Amino acid sequence: MNASTWNILIVDDSLEIVEVLSFTLQGSRFDGRPSSILRAHTKEEAARILSHRDDIDLAVIDAKLVHSDDGFQLAHWIRYGIGNQRIRLILYTGHLHDETFQQWVLPGLFDAYLPKQDSSIEVIRNSVDAALASLA
């Protein structure tokens, strides 16, 4: 693991969202360490990255990628398929219904939830900082 950098994976099928989040988080520092941003647009692409790297500290994942539950399936695979309990997972989505919240968020699959429509740059950075603080 690279102890000098926080490695953050952004997973969203929208190029615009990935670029906005990348711009928002690039250059951010927590605990004196800069962040390095990796990008994926599908759960398969994210899984390839995570299969080859064990130094990803945080993943910001959209719930709905190609299919309506791809983000949830990816998070489940991270936690239980490869058994990574260390990585912090933030659900970043505009599509979250009560039953979805009950099924995927409450059981502890994700460490935080950010609604796309209500998340300012400050809220995003604060959520990322809080997630990284739990690793520091």
Side-chain angles (χ1 to χ4, degrees):
M1 286 190 219
N2 186 349
S4 64
T5 303
W6 295 108
N7 295 303
I8 301 171
L9 174 62
I10 298 171
V11 186
D12 199 303
D13 59 338
S14 166
L15 180 61
E16 294 82 17
I17 295 290
V18 170
E19 290 305 315
V20 166
L21 286 174
S22 296
F23 180 78
T24 299
L25 298 174
Q26 191 65 48
S28 295
R29 297 180 74 81
F30 178 78
D31 199 29
R33 292 165 52 187
S35 57
S36 173
I37 307 299
L38 296 99
R39 299 161 181 88
H41 298 287
T42 66
K43 74 176 181 180
E44 294 81 12
E45 187 178 359
R48 276 193 300 278
I49 292 168
L50 290 159
S51 292
H52 293 97
R53 296 187 60 155
D54 65 354
D55 64 344
I56 306 297
D57 300 296
L58 169 70
V60 180
I61 303 172
D62 182 19
K64 185 177 181 180
L65 298 167
V66 175
H67 301 288
S68 63
D69 64 348
D70 278 358
F72 300 118
Q73 290 179 12
L74 175 63
H76 190 271
W77 176 79
I78 291 167
R79 292 284 188 233
Y80 305 110
I82 60 173
N84 189 335
Q85 300 298 318
R86 181 189 170 279
I87 190 173
R88 297 299 171 245
L89 302 178
I90 295 178
L91 175 63
Y92 186 65
T93 187
H95 310 283
L96 190 62
H97 304 289
D98 287 340
E99 63 275 1
T100 306
F101 188 83
Q102 296 287 330
Q103 180 181 2
W104 296 103
V105 179
L106 284 184
L109 196 59
F110 291 91
D111 299 293
Y113 162 64
L114 284 171
K116 284 183 180 180
Q117 62 274 19
D118 298 328
S119 296
S120 66
I121 290 172
E122 183 177 334
V123 168
I124 294 167
R125 285 185 178 159
N126 288 341
S127 294
V128 167
D129 285 352
L132 295 177
S134 68
L135 295 173

